[in-house]
Amino acid sequence: MDLNKLLTSGQPILLDGAMGTMLQAKGLPTGATPELVALEHPQWLLDIHTAYLDAGSQIVYANTFGANREKLAHCGVTVEEVVQVAVSLAKQAAQGRGLVALDIGPIGQLLQPTGTLEFEEAVDIFAQVVRAGVAAGADLAVIETMTDLQEARAALLAVKENSSLPVMVTMTYEATGRTFLGCSPACAALTLEGMGADAIGINCSLGPREMPPLVEELIAWTNLPIVLKPNAGLPHPDGSGYDITPEEFAQSLASLAQMGVQVFGGCCGTTPEYIRLLREALSQTQVRQVPRHVPPAVCSATKVVPIDRVRVIGERINPTGKKLMKEALRRGDVDYMLGQALAQVDAGADILDVNVGLPDIDEAEMMVAAVKAIQGVTDAPLQLDSTDPAVLERALRVYCGKAIVNSVNGEDATSDKILPLVKQYGAAVVGLTLDEEGIPQTAQKRVDIARHILDRAMSYGIPKQDVYIDCLTLTVSAEPTGAVQTLQALRQVKEELGLKTVLGVSNISFGLPARGLVNQNFLTMAMAAGLDLPILNPNVDAMMAAVRCYHLLTTVDENAADFIAAYGNATVSTSITTTAGTSASPTSTSGTRTLEEAVVAGLKAEAAAATRSLLEQREPMDIVNEMLIPALDKVGADFEQNRVFLPQLIQSAGAAQAAFDVIRQHMATGDQEQVDRGTIVIATVKGDIHDIGKNIVKVLLENYGYTVVDLGRDVDPQKVVEAAQRHQAPLVGLSALMTTTVKNMEETIAQLRQAGLTCKVMVGGAVLTPEYAAQIGADFYAKDAKDSVDIAKRVFSTAM
């Protein structure tokens, strides 16, 4: 028996249930490292695995969820020691009755650009776990409880590059339908399937009641088997259990086989009894074979762009013919590229082309820097544009999502270097209709090359829908029939090959007067001929107007909603002034942004520069109160409305921090009021080692000007009391993620009160509710990091 045979059987597959719940029942102390049980209490694991196998589990997870070097750093044992014993115990229990999965959980640190952990370091951390799992004889790998798509990518690459194990990947979603870092099921599906996962799905956080809409979205965006391993509902904060009974869990989860779910199990709060009843419920149902029709699409970590209409690829991050871009690349000015990226997205670009190729720079290093930085400030998917396979590989490796690679052509020597990369990283690819003999003059020859490129791509396992064809634009002043042949080739590629098409539009008018008129009309003709992805400058109003008009007139823009949104208040002129010419020039994106705009965009260097300029005219505290804080408030409001997500929130906080740093330096040179809105003590409570949420709260509070005393994680109540007394902090923030540590939160609050401190206490964490926060004596419940800032404002406004 192996995973692939199980998956292709079409029958329900049963996983195991929670490990932590069972270990706690065995006597695992609060705050202990669960992975050490393999060395300290091996019989516990044998008992637990055996109980799940007896209940019907076909796959059991080895107790290796946190067995990476970061989480084991202070335990005095190696990754290899823990993984070897944990996997061996699971195999000993299975004894041919089931498969053993190497369980790979998050590292516990945020990856760049949201955090500080380098992508390749994350890959290496996971690779060590994978190698140990292979040596121990694991049958498959499971990557689970991921909130960061980039971390899931790192783990998946580690499995693929260090083993031949089949692999399942499950993300953990919140009630909003997105992960903690804003990843949607659609983005995860497109990315993880492209990179070679064998099955994908959902685990933890939610119960089976919340699964249907998430399953529906997954089914729409992947052809892979779907895995569900939900919690037993929501935990009771007092640690007495979860709110869904084994009977309800089994019936509710098994019913999702009718939606096409094939792989079932339980996460937090589930026990062998849940799995036994789930097995019985599944024995009475069949997995419905749901037709899958995944549309052609690309994505970032938080945004999917289906190629279901004309989608504009912005061309401005490219040095060809752009003096300012060349200068920026030579001086390593990534901020200039960020400005170009944001301006293009604001103008309507759906996808951004990134080309940093200059002969006198390190193209690979600059491409990596540009991709990381651009993905930090915008959610637009990227087209990675280079002729160098090494550059493309570096870019694909760090790109979070499903990118477009531009490009290959009809030369096998070229495509054989790039197509394997496209397959490995799950990208789409642009095929240029040229070969060793150059660009053919006739449409038919270009179509023949397109067909060859398609065949070549499919031979590498790249799906047909991920191949886009560029029929190439010839300059009409030099090739009078060039436009006609390009348009005819577009029609044939769409009709005969059924492929999506790409075209750089502006080449058509080179050498002619009134280039803007030629470009606009050629774009309209090309869209009518079947162009899906025009590459153009979206800051030229006439070009975007052509796209919007095309959508309006072909009923893509239902009820003219997009057109009215763009032009409802516009004054449009169609006159031509010959003395000024009609060659459209791009809207300037090099002008300086206001401080507020730089903070909202997450541009650190621009925020710092704007602050230095403002300090020549304005008082420091006026800048803080009238500009910085309102800008952060705007981003916070967008975050609350799901218009931006946690990575963008943190980038904006970083830009505000850059501005605050300039202000502090300025104040340090004179006798002026310092930027300090008050002191807050924060901690993750005793027994709890989860501190990512607390760390994010710290970043936001500091960037609103508060002094934050961070006591760390697993903090004894008395230490919190001492810190609150020493710093005379009006506000204390406590975090807990585990149900077993909420009691320690209650004890910490009790000790603060017994010490006679008048400080207010805010609490937060996934296991808390407003009702329970009030029950344990907290003054405030913070549902997220932004809420903690709002609470701080309330506390300090009354304290002044």
Side-chain angles (χ1 to χ4, degrees):
M1 179 171 63
D2 62 42
L3 178 63
N4 288 323
K5 286 184 179 180
L6 288 174
L7 293 175
T8 56
S9 71
Q11 297 300 309
I13 301 169
L14 192 57
L15 307 173
D16 60 9
M19 177 60 71
T21 302
M22 301 294 289
L23 289 176
Q24 290 164 12
K26 289 282 189 181
L28 182 70
T30 299
T33 302
E35 289 71 28
L36 296 185
V37 170
L39 304 176
E40 297 170 353
H41 301 285
Q43 190 60 47
W44 289 5
L45 293 181
L46 285 172
D47 292 345
I48 293 168
H49 291 315
T50 299
Y52 279 126
L53 289 159
D54 290 344
S57 296
Q58 296 162 279
I59 299 172
V60 293
Y61 288 18
N63 187 37
T64 56
F65 178 81
N68 62 70
R69 62 177 180 253
E70 290 295 311
K71 289 189 173 181
L72 296 178
H74 305 294
C75 296
V77 296
T78 67
V79 170
E80 290 74 15
E81 288 172 332
V82 172
V83 172
Q84 172 64 46
V85 176
V87 172
S88 297
L89 288 168
K91 290 182 73 67
Q92 182 181 339
Q95 293 183 344
R97 292 199 293 163
L99 301 177
V100 172
L102 174 69
D103 189 6
I104 302 173
I107 294 168
Q109 297 185 40
L110 291 173
L111 275 67
Q112 294 179 340
T114 309
T116 59
L117 184 63
E118 290 275 1
F119 181 76
E120 289 302 337
E121 175 67 14
V123 174
D124 189 60
I125 289 169
F126 287 125
Q128 182 182 14
V129 179
V130 173
R131 290 191 293 268
V134 171
D139 300 305
L140 67 146
V142 171
I143 299 164
E144 65 159 328
T145 324
M146 291 291 173
T147 62
D148 184 351
L149 183 59
Q150 189 72 318
E151 186 171 16
R153 290 184 69 254
L156 185 52
L157 280 173
V159 174
K160 290 292 183 181
E161 294 173 351
N162 293 275
S163 77
S164 58
L165 295 176
V167 58
M168 301 191 298
V169 187
T170 53
M171 309 285 288
T172 182
Y173 298 93
E174 300 184 354
T176 60
R178 290 180 178 266
T179 71
F180 179 57
L181 290 179
C183 178
S184 69
C187 294
L190 286 170
T191 303
L192 299 172
E193 178 173 359
M195 292 180 65
D198 295 285
I200 63 172
I202 305 160
N203 81 288
C204 205
S205 288
L206 304 172
R209 299 166 183 161
E210 293 80 25
M211 290 295 110
L214 297 173
V215 171
E216 186 175 2
E217 185 172 347
L218 278 175
I219 290 287
W221 290 102
T222 184
N223 294 299
L224 294 177
I226 304 298
V227 183
L228 293 185
K229 213 171 190 278
N231 289 347
L234 296 174
H236 300 304
D238 62 4
S240 61
Y242 286 68
D243 69 354
I244 292 183
T245 65
E247 292 78 10
E248 182 185 350
F249 180 90
Q251 293 299 322
S252 180
L253 190 55
S255 69
L256 298 181
Q258 291 304 304
M259 294 185 69
V261 177
Q262 186 181 3
V263 187
F264 303 84
C267 205
C268 300
T270 60
T271 64
E273 178 65 7
Y274 283 78
I275 300 305
R276 183 185 68 78
L277 293 175
L278 179 57
R279 180 197 65 194
E280 292 177 2
L282 287 171
S283 68
Q284 302 170 26
T285 188
Q286 294 290 320
V287 176
R288 182 180 170 215
Q289 300 304 308
V290 178
R292 309 283 186 94
H293 303 289
V294 180
V298 292
C299 71
S300 63
T302 56
K303 182 178 181 179
V304 170
V305 175
I307 316 301
D308 57 354
R309 62 187 67 190
V310 175
R311 298 291 189 180
V312 172
I313 301 178
E315 68 178 6
R316 298 299 298 169
I317 306 176
N318 188 321
T320 304
K322 302 177 184 70
K323 181 180 178 181
L324 292 177
M325 180 60 73
K326 289 180 180 178
E327 293 174 354
L329 289 172
R330 290 191 179 103
R331 64 175 182 267
D333 185 358
V334 174
D335 282 344
Y336 180 82
M337 283 179 271
L338 298 185
Q340 294 286 338
L342 291 167
Q344 291 182 96
V345 171
D346 289 344
D350 300 290
I351 300 164
L352 298 176
D353 184 82
V354 182
N355 184 325
V356 297
L358 278 181
D360 48 351
I361 69 168
D362 187 329
E363 184 182 355
E365 288 297 323
M366 181 55 70
M367 178 66 95
V368 168
V371 168
K372 286 182 177 180
I374 292 169
Q375 287 213 295
V377 300
T378 177
D379 61 1
L382 303 185
Q383 175 170 274
L384 308 174
D385 189 350
S386 176
T387 59
D388 187 339
V391 172
L392 289 173
E393 180 167 22
R394 291 281 304 279
L396 284 166
R397 197 163 179 85
V398 299
Y399 179 78
C400 188
K402 178 176 181 177
I404 304 174
V405 168
N406 189 7
S407 56
V408 297
N409 57 42
E411 299 182 48
D412 290 347
T414 298
S415 62
D416 288 346
K417 294 177 182 177
I418 294 175
L419 290 177
L421 299 176
V422 173
K423 172 61 178 175
Q424 179 181 358
Y425 294 99
V429 64
V430 174
L432 307 179
T433 54
L434 60 83
D435 56 17
E436 295 87 345
E437 298 178 5
I439 303 174
Q441 296 297 309
T442 67
Q444 186 57 54
K445 288 185 178 179
R446 294 187 209 180
V447 174
D448 291 342
I449 294 174
R451 183 177 286 106
H452 178 72
I453 292 170
L454 174 61
D455 291 343
R456 201 75 179 172
M458 293 180 69
S459 74
Y460 279 100
I462 298 169
K464 177 179 178 179
Q465 66 182 27
D466 287 342
V467 180
Y468 310 154
I469 295 298
D470 187 338
C471 294
L472 299 173
T473 307
L474 296 175
T475 303
V476 74
S477 59
E479 297 285 346
T481 64
V484 173
Q485 294 300 320
T486 296
L487 295 174
Q488 180 57 37
L490 275 173
R491 291 189 188 92
Q492 289 185 241
V493 166
K494 292 302 291 287
E495 294 170 3
E496 297 176 19
L497 302 182
L499 299 179
K500 299 297 182 181
T501 56
V502 183
L503 202 63
V505 176
S506 59
N507 287 344
I508 195 73
S509 63
F510 187 78
L512 291 173
R515 289 189 65 188
L517 290 177
V518 178
N519 292 344
Q520 184 188 43
N521 283 276
F522 178 65
L523 171 60
T524 299
M525 296 170 71
M527 290 187 291
L531 176 60
D532 300 290
L533 294 162
I535 303 175
L536 53 83
N537 180 2
N539 299 110
V540 177
D541 292 337
M543 300 300 279
M544 290 306 300
V547 174
R548 293 185 179 115
C549 287
Y550 181 78
H551 285 160
L552 173 70
L553 298 173
T554 56
T555 70
V556 170
D557 181 7
E558 292 185 13
N559 302 315
D562 294 341
F563 189 84
I564 292 171
Y567 302 114
N569 298 313
T571 300
V572 179
S573 172
T574 57
S575 62
I576 299 173
T577 304
T578 57
T579 55
T582 58
S583 177
S585 60
T587 300
S588 173
T589 58
S590 59
T592 56
R593 287 175 172 78
T594 66
L595 175 58
E596 296 95 323
E597 291 169 340
V599 170
V600 170
L603 301 176
K604 297 178 184 178
E606 285 199 27
T611 303
R612 281 189 286 268
S613 178
L614 285 166
L615 284 169
E616 296 176 3
Q617 305 168 349
R618 302 288 300 273
E619 290 297 317
M621 292 310 299
D622 289 344
I623 297 172
V624 171
N625 294 322
E626 297 174 18
M627 299 177 186
L628 277 176
I629 299 305
L632 283 169
D633 286 344
K634 180 185 184 306
V635 179
D638 287 344
F639 173 74
E640 290 175 345
Q641 296 298 317
N642 286 327
R643 289 191 289 265
V644 301
F645 302 100
L646 189 60
Q648 291 86 2
L649 186 66
I650 292 177
Q651 288 295 117
S652 291
Q657 181 66 61
F660 271 115
D661 288 344
V662 171
I663 291 171
R664 289 190 179 99
Q665 291 168 11
H666 176 81
M667 288 181 163
T669 63
D671 184 18
Q672 302 186 55
E673 177 189 0
Q674 293 299 303
V675 184
D676 186 355
R677 303 175 71 84
T679 299
I680 303 170
V681 172
I682 64 172
T684 299
V685 299
K686 180 68 177 176
D688 204 317
I689 61 171
H690 301 88
D691 62 354
I692 286 179
K694 171 187 65 67
N695 294 342
I696 291 169
V697 167
K698 177 184 177 182
V699 169
L700 285 186
L701 288 172
E702 287 180 336
N703 285 289
Y704 269 84
Y706 298 102
T707 297
V708 179
V709 179
D710 183 3
L711 302 180
R713 58 190 183 183
D714 188 19
V715 180
D716 187 88
Q718 186 57 35
K719 187 176 179 182
V720 177
V721 173
E722 292 170 356
Q725 289 174 324
R726 183 168 60 255
H727 296 282
Q728 297 184 335
L731 180 61
V732 171
L734 301 175
S735 171
L737 188 69
M738 302 186 297
T739 56
T740 54
T741 59
V742 175
K743 283 292 185 182
N744 295 333
M745 179 179 281
E746 183 176 14
E747 175 61 23
T748 303
I749 296 172
Q751 290 196 27
L752 286 167
R753 303 302 187 221
Q754 291 165 10
L757 296 174
T758 59
C759 60
K760 300 295 184 181
V761 179
M762 64 178 175
V763 297
V767 297
L768 292 174
T769 64
E771 294 75 19
Y772 194 73
Q775 182 181 326
I776 63 176
D779 298 288
F780 302 99
Y781 164 73
K783 66 180 184 296
D784 54 37
K786 173 58 175 60
D787 209 22
S788 70
V789 173
D790 295 336
I791 292 167
K793 288 180 182 178
R794 291 167 60 186
V795 170
F796 286 91
S797 66
T798 58
M800 292 179 179

